[in-house]
Amino acid sequence: QVQLVESGGGLVQAGDSLTLSCAASGRILSTSPMTWFRQAPGKSREFVAATFLSTGNKYYTDSVKGRFTISGDNAKNTVFLQINSLKPEDTATYYCAASKSPISRLVVADRRLYTYWGQGTQVAVSS
């Protein structure tokens, strides 16, 4: 059983930067990405970014490219999400996810494929 624990959220001002962390207890399948999703109040959970710790390959949703950077530490089973130039629309609960089954790079954004979820860390951006 894998447990994911996110940290690093908080209340920040627009323009600030923040780095979120997700630590996994237990081994993450090499063919499963570690992925960040977010859910804003009243909205559905959406894909943000994913990385395969074994290869370092990274994937982003278009709306965050250039401002968000995902990275990982394979030895520590930890993934990070650096967010620059925060905007009020980035306000959301950010969740880390992984799977017990392989996930193709083509479908990393499909939240239905993920088995393990963290409890989430809240990010609130004031204007």
Side-chain angles (χ1 to χ4, degrees):
Q1 186 72 12
V2 172
Q3 291 187 330
L4 304 175
V5 179
E6 304 99 332
S7 61
L11 174 62
V12 296
Q13 293 187 333
D16 285 351
S17 297
L18 204 60
T19 298
L20 308 181
S21 301
C22 172
S25 64
R27 185 175 175 273
I28 298 296
L29 198 66
S30 63
T31 50
S32 165
M34 288 190 72
T35 302
W36 287 98
F37 290 84
R38 67 182 178 183
Q39 187 166 14
K43 296 188 176 181
S44 59
R45 194 168 298 188
E46 65 173 357
F47 168 76
V48 175
T51 185
F52 287 85
L53 293 181
S54 57
T55 63
N57 290 338
K58 304 173 183 181
Y59 307 89
Y60 298 92
T61 190
D62 286 345
S63 63
V64 306
K65 287 179 180 178
R67 290 196 304 121
F68 288 34
T69 302
I70 190 170
S71 61
D73 186 330
N74 195 18
K76 296 182 178 180
N77 277 348
T78 301
V79 66
F80 306 95
L81 185 68
Q82 181 178 346
I83 310 173
N84 296 325
S85 302
L86 277 152
K87 305 176 180 180
E89 51 263 42
D90 294 321
T91 295
T93 300
Y94 286 71
Y95 297 92
C96 179
S99 174
K100 65 179 180 181
S101 301
I103 295 180
S104 165
R105 61 181 177 82
L106 300 176
V107 291
V108 294
D110 188 345
R111 64 180 185 270
R112 299 170 299 176
L113 301 176
Y114 291 84
T115 313
Y116 308 114
W117 291 86
Q119 81 289 350
T121 185
Q122 292 189 342
V123 174
V125 185
S126 63
S127 57

